[in-house]
């Protein structure tokens, strides 16, 4: 069976022929589209390493069948920076030491971008921890991660205020 | 994963016509794709229902009765301000389940249809003692058999509020009370529901009376870590309080039985009585009175008892202004700024 889908990945349209409906979005990105920034931790929805943004929402790409996504907009860690300018969440992770080995980091950053867009947590550390609980960090960099999300939330809110003024 | 056919129907009629033995409905896929990876479930055909029109809306009638389309995501339902105001413990249960990423994708129908978490269901070659690890073993409603607990948080407050499931299938449309959706365990500890082959859930409904509990409603979930873990015990408690007395009570327990476990005896005991901690302990005692420990999980019975009593006390104190109250921990202070108390 062959299925063809069209995805917009990090702003670029891609026509993709799937020979098999079993392919997950995670495997498609890593194995077929040369975008290995998205990581595979558990492959079961339990760790968040594979988090990407689909149609504006953070999702686990390991549990998403690519065949279901025809027409979708996908943003991965590779699509976050603008040229050499890092995204505010990326900057905050560096400044606040939000990682050690870095394996979970792309997923943490994409999840934080999704969480901030949801507007659920604000800069309350308790709500940030709850909102980020779908991302496990084997190095336990949680303290820095929480500070980074808090910092990025504040900066993005300020930038928005500045834009509006 | 076994190969399968994949179809993406554009109407409910097309979806129903696509069904055949061996086919499975694909909602968000967060449960089904997981089980397909281990080989525990091997559908010959996946019918992706996420493109079906008209199933992603929440409709509220003037009297408060609410109809939730089957494809509404767990996140969108919990975040709907009107819904959370009318059914706060349902929103609280949804937000206590899974993670932000999973809730964005998981549908309400998929949530109530999710399979038990025991390894017996999840792995192709289950461990030789299939039902080891008492946390997922039912202590109530088993009829003396081994059974895994129903893992859904969402279904617990729904069953307390008399939710109804609307389905359509080869035999036409019908309704099933959520309380009757999950069947008692048979000889095999399988995940059987009252859905007939080829039946598709179109919506969940909450009756108008369910909104009458909004001022005193809580879902309390106890688990191995503060967030992103299934319940070891949980309770949904709702009270309608008039003149300092309990006019009507609802109580359902999670993670103790193969279905969300409503306790009518405890509700009857609470009705007409004054609010009192001893009364809540007595109601919780009644709720767990028939429980039988399996595989060393006597702790679950005591935990569920205390969780039920605590949830009733939290409901009596009043629904917090900001839901869900955080941290989502049973050790958090009970009262915050209360809107209704
Ligand atoms: C790591 C992890 C942690 C989790 N933690 C929790 C938790 O703490 N609490 C909790 O409650 N849940 C938890 N979950 C489970 C999660 O809530 C479910 O996976 C999700 O709700 C299922 O919804 P879905 O739309 O993805 O269902 P799917 O995976 O698409 O489907 C699940 C089942 O429902 C059937 N189905 C789907 N839609 C319909 C329909 N319209 N009519 C008839 N049948 C249908 C499917 O055929 C399948 O059998 C967790 C899951 C994961 C992976
Ligand atoms: S790899 Fe997807 S959640 Fe772990
Ligand atoms: S930084 Fe190593 S796993 Fe998170």
């Amino acid at each position: 069976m062959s299925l063809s889908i069209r995805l917009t990945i990090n702003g670029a349209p891609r026509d993709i022929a799937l020979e098999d409906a079993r392919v997950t979005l995670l495997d498609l990105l890593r194995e077929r589209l040369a975008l290995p920034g998205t990581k595979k931790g558990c492959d079961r929805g339990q760790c968040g390493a594979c988090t990407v943004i689909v149609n504006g929402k953070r999702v686990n790409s390991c549990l998403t069948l690519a065949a279901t996504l025809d027409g979708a907009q996908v943003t991965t860690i590779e699509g976050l920076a603008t040229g050499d300018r890092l995204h505010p969440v990326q900057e905050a992770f560096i400044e606040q030491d939000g990682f050690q080995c870095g394996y979970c980091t792309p997923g943490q950053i994409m999840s934080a971008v999704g969480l901030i867009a949801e507007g659920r947590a604000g800069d309350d550390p308790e709500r940030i921890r709850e909102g980020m609980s779908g991302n496990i960090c084997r190095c336990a960099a949680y303290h820095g991660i929480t500070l980074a999300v808090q910092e990025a939330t504040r900066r993005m809110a300020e930038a928005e205020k500045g834009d509006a003024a | 994963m076994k190969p399968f056919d994949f179809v993406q129907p554009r109407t409910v009629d097309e979806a129903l016509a696509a069904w055949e033995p061996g086919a499975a409905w694909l909602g968000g896929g967060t449960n089904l794709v997981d089980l397909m990876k281990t080989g525990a479930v091997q559908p010959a055909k996946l019918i992706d229902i996420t493109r079906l029109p008209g199933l992603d809306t929440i409709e509220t009638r003037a009297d408060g009765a609410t109809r939730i389309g089957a494809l509404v995501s767990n996140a969108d339902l919990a975040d709907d301000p009107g819904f959370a105001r009318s059914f706060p413990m349902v929103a609280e249960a949804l937000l206590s389940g899974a993670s932000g990423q999973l809730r964005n994708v998981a549908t309400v129908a998929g949530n109530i249809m999710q399979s038990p978490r025991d390894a017996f269901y999840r792995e192709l070659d289950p461990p030789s003692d299939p039902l080891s690890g008492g946390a997922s073993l039912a202590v109530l409603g088993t009829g003396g058999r081994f059974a895994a607990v129903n893992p859904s948080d969402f279904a617990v407050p729904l069953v307390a509020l008399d939710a109804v499931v609307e389905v359509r299938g080869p035999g036409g449309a019908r309704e099933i009370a959520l309380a009757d959706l999950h069947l008692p365990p048979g000889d095999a500890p399988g995940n059987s529901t009252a859905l007939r082959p080829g039946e598709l859930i179109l919506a969940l409904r909450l009756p108008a009376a369910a909104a009458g509990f909004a001022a005193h409603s809580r879902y309390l979930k106890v688990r191995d870590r503060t967030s992103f873990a299934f319940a070891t015990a949980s309770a949904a408690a709702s009270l309608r309080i008039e003149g300092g007395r309990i006019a009507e009570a609802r109580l359902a327990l999670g993670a103790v039985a193969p279905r969300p476990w409503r306790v009518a005896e405890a509700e009857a005991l609470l009705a007409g009585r004054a609010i009192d901690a001893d009364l809540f302990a007595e109601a919780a005692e009644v709720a767990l009175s028939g429980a039988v420990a399996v595989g060393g999980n006597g702790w679950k019975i005591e935990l569920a008892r205390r969780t039920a009593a605590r949830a009733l006390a939290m409901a009596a104190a009043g629904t917090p202004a900001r839901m869900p109250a955080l941290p989502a921990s049973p050790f958090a202070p009970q009262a915050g700024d209360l809107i209704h108390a």
Side-chain angles (χ1 to χ4, degrees):
Chain A
M1 188 174 54
S2 130
L3 294 152
S4 60
I5 57 169
R6 166 166 270 224
L7 299 179
T8 303
I9 299 179
N10 299 328
R14 306 281 294 250
D15 287 308
I16 297 155
L18 299 169
E19 70 288 352
D20 187 318
R22 288 178 290 182
V23 181
T24 61
L25 175 59
L26 175 60
D27 287 341
L28 178 72
L29 292 169
R30 289 182 56 84
E31 312 293 337
R32 302 268 303 275
L33 301 179
L35 292 168
T38 305
K39 300 300 178 209
K40 184 183 283 193
C42 64
D43 212 23
R44 307 287 298 274
Q46 298 171 0
C47 76
C50 66
T51 304
V52 298
I53 310 280
V54 174
N55 295 330
K57 296 189 166 159
R58 52 181 173 152
V59 309
N60 300 109
S61 61
C62 68
L63 291 183
T64 307
L65 294 176
T68 64
L69 291 180
D70 188 28
Q73 305 267 347
V74 179
T75 308
T76 70
I77 189 74
E78 289 92 343
L80 219 49
T82 317
D84 283 344
R85 219 180 70 232
L86 293 181
H87 186 281
V89 175
Q90 291 174 306
E91 276 177 349
F93 265 74
I94 293 170
E95 279 166 29
Q96 301 295 337
D97 247 346
F99 47 84
Q100 285 182 40
C101 78
Y103 194 81
C104 72
T105 312
Q108 299 279 0
I109 289 175
M110 297 314 287
S111 188
V113 169
L115 176 67
I116 293 169
E118 286 160 18
R120 171 190 299 293
D123 64 1
D124 174 349
E126 210 52 77
R127 285 179 187 268
I128 289 171
R129 278 192 278 274
E130 170 62 30
M132 292 293 292
S133 70
N135 292 81
I136 307 295
C137 176
R138 186 65 185 80
C139 301
Y142 295 111
H143 182 63
I145 292 168
T146 305
L147 291 176
V149 178
Q150 203 176 19
E151 173 79 21
T153 305
R154 283 193 199 128
R155 258 194 242 163
M156 288 168 72
E158 270 163 34
E160 211 168 283
K161 249 194 255 158
D163 287 348
Chain B
M1 214 188 285
K2 272 281 225 333
F4 51 85
D5 287 336
F6 179 82
V7 292
Q8 206 169 48
R10 301 294 160 145
T11 66
V12 171
D13 287 335
E14 256 178 64
L16 294 175
W19 195 85
E20 60 194 36
W25 308 120
L26 179 70
T30 60
N31 185 226
L32 189 55
V33 173
D34 188 15
L35 293 171
M36 286 168 64
K37 286 188 180 191
T38 65
V41 180
Q42 305 185 350
K45 182 181 197 176
L46 277 194
I47 305 171
D48 178 3
I49 57 174
T50 57
R51 306 289 172 117
L52 299 182
L55 300 185
D56 60 351
T57 55
I58 307 164
E59 298 155 39
T60 308
R61 286 200 328 225
D63 65 0
T66 297
R67 184 174 185 274
I68 308 154
L71 294 179
V72 173
S73 76
N74 290 4
D76 284 348
L77 184 59
D79 284 340
D80 185 85
F83 182 83
R85 213 175 303 120
S86 298
F87 311 106
M89 69 175 177
V90 182
E92 197 169 21
L94 281 168
L95 292 176
S96 79
S99 65
Q101 290 96 314
L102 290 160
R103 292 191 299 266
N104 277 343
V105 173
T107 63
V108 294
N111 188 317
I112 60 170
M113 290 295 290
Q114 65 176 290
S115 297
R117 304 303 293 185
D118 198 278
F120 189 84
Y121 306 93
R122 293 174 51 77
E123 307 298 335
L124 184 56
D125 298 309
S128 54
D129 172 13
L131 297 167
S132 60
S136 60
L137 286 184
V139 295
L140 283 163
T142 63
R145 298 169 191 265
F146 276 111
V149 299
N150 184 283
S152 170
D153 290 300
F154 178 47
V156 181
L158 284 185
V159 82
L161 296 175
D162 287 327
V164 169
V165 182
E166 289 178 18
V167 306
R168 242 178 84 187
R174 66 182 183 117
E175 295 184 352
I176 307 168
L178 181 63
D180 299 328
L181 182 70
H182 302 95
L183 299 178
D187 289 327
N191 171 37
S192 49
T193 71
L195 286 197
R196 298 180 191 135
E199 277 187 330
L200 176 68
I201 296 175
L202 297 182
L204 309 178
R205 274 204 338 262
L206 283 165
F213 293 94
H216 294 276
S217 282
R218 293 307 297 269
Y219 182 70
L220 177 62
K221 174 174 179 179
V222 182
R223 40 190 159 169
D224 286 341
R225 58 187 184 201
T226 306
S227 184
F228 199 26
F230 283 91
T232 45
S234 73
S238 277
L239 304 172
R240 207 154 52 68
I241 296 178
E242 283 170 8
R245 288 189 170 268
I246 300 168
E248 194 183 351
R250 300 287 174 88
L251 182 66
L253 307 179
V256 292
R259 56 169 76 191
W261 191 251
R262 175 112 177 243
V263 228
E265 300 81 359
E267 293 175 1
L269 178 103
L270 291 160
R273 307 276 293 270
I275 293 168
D276 165 43
D278 289 343
L279 174 66
F280 296 149
E282 201 186 323
E285 190 72 39
V286 167
L288 273 301
S289 57
V292 180
V294 197
N297 72 353
W299 57 267
K300 187 190 270 290
I301 299 173
E302 182 57 27
L303 186 63
R305 200 189 333 263
R306 294 184 192 196
T307 304
R310 179 95 182 218
L312 285 165
M314 288 166 69
T319 305
R322 187 169 179 189
M323 293 297 277
L326 277 182
S329 159
F331 307 111
Q334 279 191 30
D337 41 342
L338 304 177
I339 27 171
H340 304 285

